[in-house]
Structure formats: structure tokens, C-alpha cells
């Protein structure tokens, strides 16, 4: 009986491995034998979920040709993986990935730690903050007061509650972008919105242009849907989009969709200016590409003197090119799974019609809570609390990292929730692996790229402050030393942290 459920081609596996093997070695590093380096590389890919469990690996001869190594090297690597519990083989069925008994299955994305694990592990994997009280409690209480009339209905509102659709439309109109309720669909978070858009516009095998790097969970969503991702490199540092590269991709690849984060980009923190927004919309319109603008970070400026550009949809007055996605999950609380789409009315109608085969609708109580926040001014006050919290965390984490890891390089973003860090030539995948052993959880750069890019990066979120930020930097430095010297990171358990 065949045990594998997917297959990994030699060329694809080679691309994933090459970024790890080509990074410069850190000081004092002893290069392992070729078979050991290959086995370690595959093991890391499995542990990170970038090579799925139960994926059939290429035959030894095929992978040897793709990597320009001897078949003996591949055979020895496969044997090492079998011995360690990361590979199983059967004559006639090939070899497929596994995880050793007792190891948790790797998630395709980096899931938040359960609350009970937070005492000893510092979680830098999830860019989300605790709820801005008392506004969550007040919003839920306000929603409960408004619930009785809705409770007497069937409760299914595929386009969203009419009151909330009207409120979101009014908010766009107040910002100078005339919007009707018919242009709004309420969704289950931004992920639900983008999933619906991808299903409508980009079926299996369609090209989707994405920033490189980009938001890891969205990239994985698109991969799972069978999209062919076309990466478009960001400009250096916080400069935002490279419009020449975007125009070339639109011209050469003719993607059906393009997905961008214009406001405090995840993970780099870049803020696209108005000229970039105008230029990208014009280029997408000329190519016939639908541009999906994720504005979930648009209200999270952290410096008081930041002048926010107009939304991307402001440069598409006809409404034929840009679809905007918003959400309460980043600006308010990740547990508030309310998102929305702003698009042309015919697009919204198509999205609503398709929803009958997905989730039918978004929870009524949460919609009422967000509507209460928007209608009472509670939203603005809650987001001000969120900005202050994120600013405090940013201003604690950055000097801590600079003290503990002076060789790491980054530019400080003026908003958003993430810091994109170059790790001084160390492997981000190995830092993530060793970091968990010394008590800090951090996502490696390749999660935010396509086919193994950004191995020399990690993403740090603005989710910790004070003593916890200092300890996080200390643990990252310990992980970096272990990676640089080739040590395993096993030993004394991390101490409990009191925030």
C-alpha cells in the first residue's frame, strides 16, 4: 500500500535546499560531510512544513542529477533520514517523509502557541497582540444588546449584516472614496476574504503575482489552492515596491491576480507612497490584472508624524482593477474574526453567490460587536491603545536586539507589527529550529518567500516588551551562537519568564 500522499520533484526540492546550502558559513563553523548537510537540509524543510509529511521524495539518481552530487551522497543522506525517523521507504513505492514518534506534525504556517506554553517559551512567531480592553468587553456587551432582533431571524447573511455593510461603506466615503453598501461583503477575517477572491478569480494553475517577501499565511493559502506564484522583489529596505519589476512581471507573466500589502507591509514594514500606488494600479489595469490590496495594517502607524497615503482603491475610480481587503483582526484583536471586501458591485455579487459553497456567512454577534465599535467611536479609541502598545513593544525590542545581536541588520518601520531582520549570514531555518530548543519561537525568512528565498532572514513581531523583550534577544543570541558553531542547542531548559 502506498504511504505517500504528494510528490516533491527533484528540481523543486533542489531549489528549496540550495538557499540553505549556499549561505556563507558562520565563524567557527565546521562544514559537515555532504550527505549530512543534505540530510539536515531535508530534515529542516520537513520540520518547517515546507516539505509536507508523507511527500514522496525524488529517486536517488534523479536528486543526485538535480543537485550535481554523487548518487552515493544522496543514498547516504536518505539512510540517515531513515535512521532518524524522517524518511520511510518501500521497494516499488519509493521514499516518503515522516516525523519521528513523539514529534508534533509541522504546521504549514506558524501557529500561535497554546497559552499554557507561554510560561517558558517566548513566542515571536505570531504577529498579534492581546485584546485592547475595555473595548472588547464593551463591544461584546453592546452587541448583545443589539442581538435580539437578529436572533428572531435565520441568522444567515452571506453578504454580511446590512448595518455593518453600510457602516463600512460610510467609513470609506468619509475618507473621500465614495462607496455604497453594495460594494461591501463582510467575511470571516481577511484570510476568508482573500480565499474567496482567489477561488473566484484564480483557479488551480492560474498565476498570482506576489511581493517577495510577502505574508506567509497568504502565500500558503494560495499554494494550497493550486496557484502558480510569481514573486516580485521588493525594493531595498523600506523603499516599498519596485515598479519597473512589477511592470515587467505584468508584461511577461500576465498574472490573473496580484496581491500586495501597501500599508506597513508584512513582513518588511514598508509603506508605499502615493506615486507607487498610482503607478501600480495603472500597470495592473493595463495588463488586465486584478489587484488585491490588503489594508489590514493601514491604521497601525506608530510614529505621530506619519502621513498616510490614500488607499490603493482611491487610484481606481472606476472600480474595475482594485479589490480592497480590510480586517479587525490586526488593528483590534486577532480573536475578532471580521474582515471585509470592497469591490465593484458585480464582483461582490459573485463573491456572495460563491459563498454558498464555503462558509455561508460570518458570525452575527462578532459583526454586531464591530458595528458597535465603528458607530460609537470605540474603534478609534481601541486602535489608539493598540498603536501605543505596539510602539512600546517596538521601542523595547529594537534596542534589545541591537545590544544582543549587533551583526543583525534591519531598518526600523514606522508602523505595522513586524521587523524584517537580516541575520548576519546565518540560516534562518536553523535559527528557528535551534531557537525553539533555547526557548524562543521565531519564523524563518523562507516562510515569507517562494521556493526557499530569504534563508538569511527572520521576522520579529512587536508583541513583547520590557524584560521579556530583553530575554527574547538574549535567547536569539544564544541560538545564533549555537547555529554559528554547529551545536545542536540541547541542554538546560529555558527559565520561566514573568512579563
Amino acid at each position: 500500500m502506498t504511504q505517500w500522499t504528494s510528490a516533491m520533484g527533484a528540481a523543486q526540492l533542489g531549489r528549496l535546499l540550495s538557499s540553505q546550502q549556499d549561505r556563507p558559513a558562520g565563524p567557527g563553523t565546521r562544514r559537515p560531510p555532504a550527505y549530512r548537510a543534505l540530510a539536515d537540509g531535508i530534515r529542516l524543510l520537513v520540520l518547517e512544513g515546507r516539505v509536507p509529511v508523507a511527500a514522496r521524495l525524488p529517486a536517488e539518481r534523479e536528486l543526485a542529477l538535480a543537485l550535481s552530487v554523487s548518487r552515493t551522497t544522496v543514498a547516504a543522506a536518505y539512510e540517515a533520514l531513515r535512521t532518524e525517523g524522517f524518511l520511510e521507504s518501500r521497494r516499488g513505492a519509493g521514499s516518503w517523509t515522516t516525523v519521528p514518534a513523539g514529534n508534533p506534525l509541522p504546521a504549514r504556517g506558524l501557529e500561535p502557541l497554546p497559552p499554557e506554553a507561554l510560561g517558558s517559551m517566548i513566542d515571536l512567531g505570531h504577529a498579534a497582540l492581546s485584546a485592547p480592553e475595555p473595548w472588547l468587553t464593551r463591544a461584546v456587551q453592546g452587541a448583545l444588546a443589539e442581538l435580539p432582533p437578529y436572533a428572531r431571524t435565520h441568522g444567515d447573511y452571506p453578504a454580511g449584516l446590512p448595518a455593518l455593510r453600510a457602516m463600512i461603506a460610510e467609513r470609506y466615503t468619509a475618507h473621500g472614496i465614495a462607496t455604497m453598501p453594495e460594494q461591501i461583503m463582510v467575511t470571516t477575517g481577511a484570510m476568508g476574504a482573500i480565499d474567496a477572491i482567489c477561488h473566484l478569480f484564480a483557479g488551480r494553475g492560474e498565476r498570482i503575482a506576489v511581493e517577495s517577501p510577502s505574508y506567509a499565511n497568504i502565500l500558503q493559502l494560495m499554494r494550497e489552492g493550486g496557484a502558480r506564484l510569481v514573486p516580485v522583489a521588493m525594493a531595498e529596505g523600506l523603499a516599498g515596491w519596485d515598479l519597473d519589476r512589477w511592470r515587467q512581471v505584468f508584461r511577461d507573466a500576465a498574472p490573473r491576480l496580484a496581491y500586495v500589502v501597501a500599508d506597513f507591509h508584512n513582513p518588511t514594514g514598508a509603506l508605499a507612497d502615493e506615486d507607487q500606488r498610482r503607478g501600480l494600479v495603472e500597470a495592473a489595469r493595463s495588463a488586465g490584472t486584478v489587484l488585491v490590496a490588503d489594508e489590514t495594517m493601514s491604521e497601525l502607524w506608530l510614529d505621530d508624524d506619519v502621513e498616510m497615503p490614500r488607499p490603493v482603491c482611491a487610484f481606481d475610480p472606476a472600480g474595475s482593477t482594485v479589490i480592497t481587503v480590510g480586517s479587525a483582526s490586526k488593528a483590534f484583536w486577532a480573536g475578532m474574526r471580521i474582515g471585509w471586501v470592497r469591490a465593484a458591485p458585480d464582483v461582490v455579487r459573485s463573491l456572495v453567490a460563491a459563498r454558498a459553497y464555503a462558509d455561508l456567512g460570518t458570525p452575527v454577534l462578532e459583526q454586531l460587536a464591530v458595528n458597535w465599535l465603528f458607530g460609537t467611536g470605540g474603534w478609534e479609541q481601541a486602535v489608539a491603545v493598540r498603536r501605543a502598545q505596539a510602539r512600546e513593544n517596538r521601542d523595547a525590542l529594537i534596542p534589545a536586539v541591537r545590544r544582543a545581536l549587533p551583526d543583525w541588520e534591519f531598518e526600523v518601520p514606522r508602523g505595522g507589527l513586524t521587523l524584517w531582520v537580516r541575520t548576519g549570514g546565518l540560516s534562518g531555518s536553523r535559527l528557528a529550529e535551534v531557537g525553539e530548543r533555547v526557548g524562543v519561537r521565531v519564523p524563518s525568512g523562507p516562510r515569507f518567500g517562494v521556493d526557499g528565498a530569504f534563508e538569511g532572514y527572520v521576522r520579529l513581531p512587536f508583541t513583547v516588551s520590557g524584560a521579556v523583550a530583553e530575554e527574547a534577544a538574549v535567547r536569539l543570541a544564544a541560538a545564533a551562537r549555537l547555529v554559528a558553531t554547529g551545536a545542536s542547542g540541547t541542554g538546560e531548559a529555558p527559565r520561566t519568564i514573568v512579563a
Side-chain angles (χ1 to χ4, degrees), residues 107-121:
R108 300 306 300 272
L110 197 63
E111 301 298 328
L113 281 175
E116 61 269 18
L118 294 177
S120 59
M121 181 74 72

Side-chain angles (χ1 to χ4, degrees), residues 44-409:
L44 279 171
L45 293 173
V46 172
L47 287 172
E48 284 208 320
R50 290 191 284 142
V51 169
V53 174
R56 185 180 185 273
L57 295 187
E60 293 172 3
R61 187 185 302 276
E62 184 182 359
L63 185 58
L65 287 172
L67 299 179
S68 299
V69 299
S70 71
R71 183 177 176 181
T72 302
T73 296
V74 177
Y78 278 13
E79 180 58 32
L81 290 169
R82 279 189 288 267
T83 301
E84 296 161 7
F86 286 93
L87 198 68
E88 291 186 13
S89 303
R90 182 172 298 168
R91 187 179 297 276
S95 299
W96 58 92
T97 56
T98 62
V99 292
N103 278 39
L105 288 175
R108 300 306 300 272
L110 197 63
E111 301 298 328
L113 281 175
E116 61 269 18
L118 294 177
S120 59
M121 181 74 72
I122 299 176
D123 187 7
L124 298 182
H126 198 52
L129 297 164
S130 57
E133 290 287 26
W135 301 108
L136 174 62
T137 298
R138 292 179 183 176
V140 173
Q141 291 171 340
L144 287 170
E146 298 293 329
L147 183 61
Y150 294 94
R152 291 191 288 270
T153 73
H154 50 65
D156 287 336
Y157 296 89
L161 294 184
L164 181 55
R165 296 176 72 196
M167 185 68 73
I168 294 170
E170 288 176 12
R171 290 174 64 84
Y172 279 106
T173 300
H175 284 88
I177 305 165
T179 303
M180 304 178 295
E182 292 79 7
Q183 291 178 260
I184 302 296
M185 181 177 90
V186 180
T187 63
T188 307
M191 292 287 289
I194 293 169
D195 186 43
I197 293 166
C198 289
H199 275 90
L200 181 62
F201 285 97
R204 186 168 293 276
E206 292 276 8
R207 294 184 179 93
I208 302 179
V210 294
E211 297 151 325
S212 183
S214 186
Y215 179 35
N217 288 340
I218 293 297
L219 294 180
Q220 192 58 42
L221 181 153
M222 292 173 175
R223 290 188 190 101
E224 297 285 352
R228 298 165 61 188
L229 300 184
V230 182
V232 186
M234 297 283 286
E236 285 296 316
L238 299 177
W241 301 322
D242 185 324
L243 288 182
D244 287 338
R245 287 174 174 164
W246 275 100
R247 293 186 184 102
Q248 181 178 355
V249 165
F250 285 144
R251 182 177 63 249
D252 297 344
R256 184 72 181 91
L257 279 181
Y259 167 76
V260 297
V261 184
D263 305 299
F264 308 118
H265 173 261
N266 186 353
T268 68
L271 176 65
D273 62 31
E274 291 209 353
D275 288 340
Q276 289 174 318
R277 296 170 191 234
R278 181 183 295 104
L280 190 62
V281 172
E282 291 173 352
R285 183 186 299 118
S286 297
T289 298
V290 175
L291 184 63
V292 181
D294 182 337
E295 62 177 22
T296 55
M297 297 280 190
S298 63
E299 297 188 64
L300 290 178
W301 62 86
L302 303 184
D303 295 333
D304 292 336
D305 60 344
V306 173
E307 293 187 13
M308 289 301 297
R310 287 175 291 170
V312 176
C313 60
F315 303 95
D316 181 37
S320 59
T321 299
V322 176
I323 298 177
T324 302
V325 172
S327 172
S329 298
K330 292 296 185 185
F332 186 76
W333 183 47
M336 187 67 76
R337 305 305 303 162
I338 298 295
W340 53 86
V341 173
R342 181 197 181 274
D346 61 318
V347 172
V348 169
R349 286 192 296 270
S350 296
L351 289 169
V352 171
R355 195 172 194 179
Y357 308 100
D359 63 357
L360 294 178
T362 301
V364 170
L365 188 63
E366 291 187 26
Q367 292 187 71
L368 289 172
V370 173
N371 195 56
W372 183 91
L373 287 165
F374 284 157
T376 62
W379 176 267
E380 285 72 22
Q381 295 179 70
V383 173
V385 171
R386 170 68 75 240
R387 287 193 203 106
Q389 187 179 9
R391 183 187 305 115
E392 177 185 347
N393 293 350
R394 180 194 66 176
D395 295 347
L397 181 66
I398 285 171
V401 172
R402 282 178 170 156
R403 283 191 294 271
L405 293 150
D407 293 337
W408 287 19
E409 302 173 20

